Amino acid sequence: MENIERSQILKGYLMATLFYEPSTRTRLSFESAMKRLGGEVLTTENAREFSSAAKGETLEDTIRTVEGYSDIIVMRHFESGAAKRAAVTAGIPVINAGDGPGEHPTQALLDVYTIEREIGKLDGIKVGLVGDLANGRTVRSLAYLLAKYKDVKIYFVSPEVVKMKDDIKYYLTSKGVEWEESGDLMEVASKCDVVYQTRIQKERFGERFDLYEAARGKYIVNQDVLKVMQEHAVVMHPLPRLDEITVDVDGDPRAAYFRQAKNGLYIRMALLKVLLLGW
Amino acid sequence: MENIERSQILKGYLMATLFYEPSTRTRLSFESAMKRLGGEVLTTENAREFSSAAKGETLEDTIRTVEGYSDIIVMRHFESGAAKRAAVTAGIPVINAGDGPGEHPTQALLDVYTIEREIGKLDGIKVGLVGDLANGRTVRSLAYLLAKYKDVKIYFVSPEVVKMKDDIKYYLTSKGVEWEESGDLMEVASKCDVVYQTRIQKERFGERFDLYEAARGKYIVNQDVLKVMQEHAVVMHPLPRLDEITVDVDGDPRAAYFRQAKNGLYIRMALLKVLLLGW
Amino acid sequence: MENIERSQILKGYLMATLFYEPSTRTRLSFESAMKRLGGEVLTTENAREFSSAAKGETLEDTIRTVEGYSDIIVMRHFESGAAKRAAVTAGIPVINAGDGPGEHPTQALLDVYTIEREIGKLDGIKVGLVGDLANGRTVRSLAYLLAKYKDVKIYFVSPEVVKMKDDIKYYLTSKGVEWEESGDLMEVASKCDVVYQTRIQKERFGERFDLYEAARGKYIVNQDVLKVMQEHAVVMHPLPRLDEITVDVDGDPRAAYFRQAKNGLYIRMALLKVLLLGW
């Protein structure tokens, strides 16, 4: 047998992954994307603890140093706005791989790409956003991006303590996007093209285990939900998942979440190509 | 001067190292093997702490994601059976790089390869397994593998608290392998082709420092042991070593443990080649 | 667009970075250097915690193993003298990337290279070393290296508790290098070609926050200092910086510290090339 043919269009380019917050999934996805295109990677698994940041260096100084060593920076940070500060400082491209409670734009891109691939269209779709809508930056970014398409209808299905915040609701209304809140997952699931489930984020509840336990387990995607869903519809999830989608759903062709994760690779390959070589 | 000629047969292939338990030696050995063949690596130094596992994701979900990013997975885990669960889930090859108290098959392969290279044969050899035979998965796997050869004789030399367990003894007997327990390291060393020393694993004793101290230091391979060993015989050790082999043994040509470590590289190169390109 | 042309002179070579102490800046600089020349890297971000060292393995045993997996080792260690011990043990080149309070020779090389590039000469220059001269191994190494050039004059400007130690002073005197201590940063800055500022190292003060606070903030390089500096002079700093150089200095063309960091890349590329391929 022989070598498999793989693109080498980014050969000679070096990407630095500066992760101030652990995220193995996102990091490996970006590093795989770079290497699948023939590029190379400088990696930090936990920049927060193991770097000059611990000695009090500013993010701007770190960026000015790292830009000297690489051609593009992928940054995950625990503070909202950190990616923008890095991008303003750097003379090379900076990709935001999540900045605390702020944004996670490549996730939103891969979500939209997945919907397009799975459903065949974005205009006119009905999407149910389920679970932790207050803390989940992925659903916030997705709602924001869906507003760019026509005749989209969004349903919010979430426990009382983690409802979608008003800023997104106002934004959708201002863009003419129809939305409604519902407590009935079965009814929403029966009408939607996409059921987008999310994890209740325990780490955002602090000491309030009681609130966490109340929120968790209220809306579960299981065989009963699959039964009412349309044949062409899909279940999505940004992962990691706990038990908000039962494991017996995985075998159903409408379970799109692992295909969705794989799409993250393609979206990041495309992004790296465009940022380093242009359109 | 010019480039050294190195194989590129795995160019374009991507290996993911998922290490849920630290093992720099094993990880670097696998990563070196992959890179020596022209392949590329996605690495996690401590998947347990820095990944979605900390958020409660199942191993199966992690594997389903990582298999989308790579062509082969090398996994070290703290739970027995984890590698098998991963292999069942993944659509790409999974190599077990040690699963807790379970197995460490590539170590056993490199041990057998080392004996063959050093002694020139495997049939008819006499092997003394010394030290922590209860907790050391390497000696357990090695005993298991040696049973596949003819006329092998095995001596167990260990402190009372960490004796070889019955399952392996029964297995050897059922395969017609001769074995005996001995408290006399000198006598065993004088008869064996291979003296395979191991570290008393402090981390398995918990709070019982008294038991650990009693076990440690009972059987030391030193100049006295070398003196009674035959000229063609060798001392092996899976490393890391503390003081169960004295440093003055290192200079003796029969000290095979660093050659043994290097053989780990060759065995892993062969394994990666076979699993990705076939025989 | 197409691939950028980058050197591949180290293609096929493998560098292992063994970092027993975190230093993202230095590690990424070495790894970038290796990859910019077409070489490959085996990396450990925190060898101290995640390796056999935690189980009690000696440095010598670790080196004997790692040299089997790579062609060159870059080591950062928390103990003075560790790099020398590694180099004596290894059959492949070992580069000292800092050994505790000991030395940091590649930093000294890049500092001297930066002075040469920025000022155009090394003989006859006047250098002000400012800040933590007791604990900063970079200023100690730089003073040592400057003694190899002619007619160099060195000014030491530091808080009382972190003054330059006598061993370096004696050495300079023995080499005929003129030096003096001064408490007047403005006057020194007006005379020097290089103002080399350093961070007061909080981590070396232990519990004595009062001493730290007293030392810190005594000598700050700011716009006032820039005003008295000559036009051709430069400000250098090994980084990371806290507030000992104010941010508004960054925009001045005489602020050389980020160019200095970038020079670290070139110096390490040169070093890797020489050690692996010869002069």
Side-chain angles (χ1 to χ4, degrees), chain A residues 12 40-41 57 65 277, chain C residues 1 6 25 32 35 40 241:
Chain A
E40 264 296 340
V41 174
E57 185 178 56
T65 303
L277 302 183
Chain C
M1 277 181 246
R6 288 223 161 112
R25 183 186 315 278
S32 178
K35 293 186 174 186
E40 263 296 341
R241 141 190 73 176

Side-chain angles (χ1 to χ4, degrees), chain A residues 8-14 18 35 40-47 49-52 55-58 61-62 64-71 276-278, chain C residues 1-4 6 8 11 22-25 27-29 31-32 35-36 39-40 43 45-46 49-50 76 199 203 239-242 250 258 261-262 265 268:
Chain A
Q8 294 283 317
I9 56 168
L10 295 188
K11 190 168 154 67
Y13 287 93
L14 208 38
L18 273 186
K35 293 186 173 183
E40 264 296 340
V41 174
L42 301 176
T43 191
T44 57
E45 214 172 339
N46 194 348
E49 234 180 278
F50 293 165
S51 78
S52 297
K55 295 179 190 152
E57 185 178 56
T58 65
D61 276 16
T62 303
R64 273 188 203 104
T65 303
V66 174
E67 72 172 328
Y69 303 156
S70 58
D71 302 302
L276 287 169
L277 302 183
Chain C
M1 277 181 246
E2 57 209 305
N3 284 356
I4 44 177
R6 288 223 161 112
Q8 293 284 314
K11 191 169 153 66
S23 177
T24 305
R25 183 186 315 278
R27 183 174 61 83
L28 293 188
S29 167
E31 296 186 1
S32 178
K35 293 186 174 186
R36 287 295 194 210
E40 263 296 341
T43 190
E45 214 172 339
N46 194 348
E49 234 179 277
F50 293 164
R76 172 80 154 227
R199 179 174 64 91
E203 61 269 35
L239 305 180
R241 141 190 73 176
L242 300 192
D250 296 2
F258 293 115
K262 180 88 185 230
L265 178 65
R268 282 147 190 157

Side-chain angles (χ1 to χ4, degrees), chain B residues 118-244:
Chain B
E118 297 282 339
I119 307 298
K121 63 174 183 175
L122 281 155
D123 292 335
I125 59 165
K126 291 187 174 62
V127 178
L129 301 179
V130 187
D132 190 340
L133 306 184
N135 302 303
R137 66 189 160 197
T138 61
V139 282
R140 292 173 51 82
S141 294
L142 179 56
Y144 179 85
L145 216 54
L146 287 173
K148 302 196 177 300
Y149 297 90
K150 281 183 221 143
D151 300 322
V152 171
K153 168 103 193 226
I154 301 183
Y155 298 88
F156 300 127
V157 184
S158 69
E160 195 60 29
V161 288
V162 287
K163 284 174 66 176
M164 179 56 80
K165 287 182 179 156
D166 287 340
D167 60 338
I168 293 288
K169 292 178 186 167
Y170 289 142
Y171 179 80
L172 291 175
T173 301
S174 78
K175 292 286 170 182
V177 178
E178 250 193 277
W179 60 267
E180 67 177 75
E181 294 187 314
S182 166
D184 188 343
L185 174 58
M186 298 301 278
E187 203 220 331
V188 166
S190 72
K191 288 191 287 193
C192 280
D193 302 286
V194 175
V195 173
Y196 194 107
Q197 175 68 297
T198 60
R199 179 174 64 91
I200 305 290
Q201 300 191 30
K202 191 179 184 178
E203 61 271 34
R204 312 272 182 200
F205 282 82
E207 298 291 301
R208 298 302 308 270
F209 296 124
D210 54 329
L211 290 183
Y212 169 67
E213 288 300 337
R216 192 191 156 193
K218 193 160 162 65
Y219 299 108
I220 303 285
V221 174
N222 54 23
Q223 288 289 342
D224 294 337
V225 174
L226 278 183
K227 259 173 220 140
V228 302
M229 281 176 63
Q230 300 171 67
E231 192 146 345
H232 77 279
V234 291
V235 179
M236 291 174 62
H237 192 299
L239 305 182
R241 143 196 65 182
L242 299 194
D243 48 14
E244 63 275 4

Side-chain angles (χ1 to χ4, degrees), chain C residues 32-72:
Chain C
S32 178
M34 190 66 183
K35 293 186 174 186
R36 287 295 194 210
L37 295 174
E40 263 296 341
V41 174
L42 301 175
T43 190
T44 57
E45 214 172 339
N46 194 348
R48 190 178 195 170
E49 234 179 277
F50 293 164
S51 80
S52 296
K55 294 178 189 153
E57 185 177 57
T58 64
L59 176 62
E60 282 76 6
D61 277 16
T62 303
I63 293 294
R64 272 188 204 104
T65 302
V66 173
E67 71 172 328
Y69 303 156
S70 57
D71 303 302
I72 189 165

Side-chain angles (χ1 to χ4, degrees), chain A residues 154-185:
Chain A
I154 301 182
Y155 298 87
F156 299 127
V157 184
S158 70
E160 195 60 30
V161 288
V162 287
K163 283 173 68 175
M164 178 57 80
K165 287 180 180 159
D166 287 340
D167 60 337
I168 293 287
K169 292 178 187 167
Y170 290 142
Y171 178 80
L172 292 175
T173 301
S174 78
K175 291 287 170 183
V177 178
E178 250 192 275
W179 60 266
E180 67 176 75
E181 294 186 313
S182 166
D184 188 344
L185 174 59

Side-chain angles (χ1 to χ4, degrees), chain B residues 59 79-86 99 102:
Chain B
L59 177 62
E79 270 176 27
S80 189
K84 189 162 274 175
R85 282 168 55 205
D99 57 341

